[in-house]
Amino acid sequence: MIAPVKDGNQTQLSDHAQRSAHQAIGFLMQQGVENADCISLAAGLVDEDSLPVKIVRDAVAELLSSPESGRKLLQYGITPGPEPLRRIFRSNLARIEQRDDGLEDLPLSQLMLTTGSQQLLSLVTQALFNPGDICLVAAPTYFVYIDVLQAAGAEIVPVIADAEGMRPDSLSAAFERIQAEGRLDRVRLVYIVSDFDNPSGVSVSAERRPELLRIVQQFSLHNRIFLLEDCAYRELRYDGEMIPSIWSYDASRETVILAQTFSKSFSPGVRVGMGVLPQCLVKAVSDLKGNDDFGSAHLNQHIVARAIRTGEYAEHVRRVCESYRRKRDAMVAIVEHEFSGMPGVSWFTPLGGMYVWMRLPAAIETGFTSPLFKRATQVDKVMYVPGELCYPADWAGRPRCEMRLSFGVQNVAGIQEGIRRLASAVREVLSTTISMQAGVKSSAEPSR
Ligand SMILES: Cc1ncc(COP(=O)(O)O)c(C=O)c1O
């Protein structure tokens, strides 16, 4: 027998790399490239006009004005970010939380500056998960985090959410089911985007915040179950008052991991994020970050810290919110105008963030291979994010008829035109579906 020829050029990828294939974000970006002539209501990019060019230019000019200070900032920093900067970021968190005490009792060792919040999500997942461990997430949830969990080999358990965010009764029921299966010791994390969720736009109500925390703590019987609170959109609030974070209810600061980012409120090009970690996770996450980059971009951390220190950051956030409020209003108004007469279509009006979440009749699928996606991108030239990406891929119950519509990057005219085009695509697919259903019905009727 002839031995099979070994191909020395074959690439043997790790399990982790193989589990990272077929990412939703990769598909979506590819679709963006292939449909570059479309109006994108899909991209999660931020508003271009309000990016803080002047603040960053002034900051860089000042930070590099003397060769000595400039050289320090152009050098490596340290893994969690320099302590004086973490002090400034802590005071910013205290301002957001409306705490008079400046959160000075929060040890700086528990703060970590990261490359956006995405790095923190990834490091925390690496620190906690072995394949088969369980994460509970709101359904729907941030699809890039679903990919991170999938790459870690995690089992993702969806928990029902409504207009007030993740439902405490559904969270309890999910825990009870896992406990009855004898698998409670495999649960590592509950992941919640507490304000203006990506994709649903929903915020967890003030009443539910302590309740969700209490449930997580109640089921921390075998090992500590953490609650990862992702606050990516928290500062982009256009109506109503700021709500205390879930983290603020965690008196012992041992359960909640807080992920904050300056990408949405300031600039994703600067890409600075911050995590507040329970003490017991600091070393593990820091060790993993050491392997990753032993410190995020030092100069960028100084740019954001300076903007916080001078007050320019808070002022900038106010301006950004005004601009997004106009765009949110424009999107909701045109959606109302175009879709309100369509049977079975509903949407959620967010009080902040960047997304309107829309549901179509169940028969109208929205996925990449659906007639609607094809019609929208090829004929009407508009793109959206198919809602099914925001649920665990192996969940049989996931709805297939939803869409995430972003008002982040388009201007008002782009939003209006984009929604008009989308409505035209939906109208067309709805009428084809209805006439097909009518055809099936009449051919199924016995002939007289
Ligand atoms: C919910 C959520 N979390 C985290 C991130 C990561 O953002 P960044 O890494 O830029 O902070 C995003 C980005 O879109 C997001 O929508």
Side-chain angles (χ1 to χ4, degrees):
M1 209 174 106
I2 303 168
V5 180
K6 291 223 171 90
D7 178 359
N9 287 326
Q10 224 169 47
T11 307
Q12 190 59 54
L13 293 175
S14 69
D15 291 350
H16 191 265
Q18 291 184 46
R19 287 193 301 258
S20 297
H22 315 298
Q23 290 175 337
I25 186 77
F27 268 128
L28 198 62
M29 288 179 134
Q30 182 59 30
Q31 291 296 331
V33 171
E34 284 171 17
N35 298 291
D37 54 345
C38 288
I39 292 184
S40 180
L41 302 176
L45 302 185
V46 306
D47 181 50
E48 298 261 326
D49 290 343
S50 49
L51 282 168
V53 178
K54 182 168 182 322
I55 299 176
V56 174
R57 194 196 302 127
D58 292 351
V60 172
E62 187 193 285
L63 292 167
L64 304 185
S65 59
S66 96
E68 295 73 34
S69 67
R71 281 186 203 115
K72 280 204 189 98
L73 308 193
L74 294 175
Q75 189 52 276
Y76 283 119
I78 59 169
T79 303
E83 200 173 290
L85 297 194
R86 278 182 279 143
R87 184 167 286 112
I88 294 173
F89 282 89
R90 183 180 64 184
S91 70
N92 186 57
L93 178 60
R95 179 186 60 80
I96 297 170
E97 294 283 354
Q98 297 170 340
R99 294 273 299 244
D100 301 333
D101 61 0
L103 282 173
E104 280 174 18
D105 65 328
L106 172 64
L108 292 172
S109 61
Q110 286 180 242
L111 264 61
M112 182 173 289
L113 303 186
T114 51
T115 306
S117 50
Q118 192 63 39
Q119 186 186 39
L120 187 83
L121 303 187
S122 168
L123 294 173
V124 163
T125 310
Q126 288 173 51
L128 293 177
F129 284 84
N130 283 318
D133 289 339
I134 298 171
C135 184
L136 295 101
V137 303
T141 195
Y142 173 43
F143 60 85
V144 184
Y145 191 54
I146 291 184
D147 287 341
V148 171
L149 288 167
Q150 257 157 14
E155 178 181 332
I156 308 170
V157 174
V159 178
I160 293 169
D162 59 22
E164 287 185 63
M166 186 183 276
R167 286 178 48 158
D169 58 346
S170 305
L171 181 62
S172 286
F175 270 127
E176 276 158 17
R177 206 171 47 247
I178 294 166
Q179 188 173 35
E181 293 163 0
R183 301 193 306 137
L184 197 55
D185 60 339
R186 300 306 302 266
V187 181
R188 296 284 170 269
L189 196 66
V190 176
Y191 171 71
I192 298 180
V193 184
S194 45
D195 298 278
F196 322 120
D197 197 353
N198 174 5
S200 68
V202 161
S203 296
V204 178
S205 66
E207 297 71 36
R208 283 192 186 174
R209 292 179 182 223
E211 180 64 1
L212 291 169
L213 174 63
R214 190 193 61 69
I215 295 166
V216 172
Q217 289 171 336
Q218 177 196 334
F219 285 93
S220 287
L221 297 174
H222 299 267
N223 51 273
R224 192 180 302 286
I225 299 173
F226 295 95
L227 191 160
L228 174 51
E229 181 179 19
D230 183 339
C231 295
Y233 298 89
R234 183 175 190 196
E235 292 187 82
L236 301 184
R237 171 178 280 281
Y238 320 133
D239 299 303
E241 294 298 315
M242 188 76 86
I243 310 178
S245 58
I246 303 178
W247 175 80
S248 70
Y249 292 98
D250 184 14
S252 64
R253 296 192 177 134
E254 285 179 341
T255 300
V256 181
I257 304 159
L258 182 86
Q260 201 192 352
T261 180
F262 296 86
S263 288
K264 312 293 176 184
S265 55
F266 193 68
S267 157
V270 172
R271 208 76 197 278
V272 172
M274 185 187 81
V276 183
L277 297 163
Q279 194 64 58
C280 58
L281 284 180
V282 169
K283 183 171 181 322
V285 174
S286 180
D287 289 346
L288 288 161
K289 184 163 166 61
N291 285 346
D292 233 31
D293 62 9
F294 43 91
S296 299
H298 191 197
L299 178 63
N300 296 11
Q301 297 170 348
H302 276 272
I303 291 170
V304 178
R306 181 185 177 278
I308 293 172
R309 194 167 39 75
T310 59
E312 287 167 298
Y313 173 71
E315 185 46 39
H316 174 74
V317 173
R318 267 191 289 280
R319 277 199 306 273
V320 168
C321 285
E322 276 166 28
S323 159
Y324 277 124
R325 183 184 297 109
R326 276 195 296 278
K327 299 210 294 182
R328 188 270 320 257
D329 290 348
M331 182 172 269
V332 171
I334 187 80
V335 162
E336 190 88 46
H337 183 262
E338 293 291 327
F339 286 93
S340 55
M342 283 191 217
V345 179
S346 60
W347 57 91
F348 183 79
T349 301
L351 302 183
M354 285 174 25
Y355 310 107
V356 169
W357 182 241
M358 182 176 279
R359 172 172 289 209
L360 302 178
I364 312 293
E365 294 200 357
T366 56
F368 287 135
T369 56
S370 66
L372 179 64
F373 193 83
K374 286 190 187 136
R375 165 84 203 193
T377 51
Q378 290 169 16
V379 180
D380 296 286
K381 299 287 177 197
V382 62
M383 231 185 99
Y384 59 84
V385 172
E388 64 193 53
L389 302 182
C390 306
Y391 299 94
D394 57 0
W395 183 37
R398 71 181 170 154
R400 319 292 291 252
C401 57
E402 295 164 322
M403 295 185 272
R404 188 194 79 177
L405 309 173
S406 168
F407 50 87
V409 74
Q410 296 293 336
N411 59 22
V412 166
I415 291 169
Q416 290 171 333
E417 181 55 22
I419 294 294
R420 272 188 215 108
R421 292 182 186 193
L422 184 64
S424 144
V426 172
R427 242 178 251 119
E428 175 61 29
V429 173
L430 256 177
S431 72
T432 323
T433 311
I434 289 167
S435 53
M436 269 168 58
Q437 283 172 346
V440 169
K441 217 171 141 202
S442 66
S443 65
E445 277 165 10
S447 50
R448 286 162 217 261

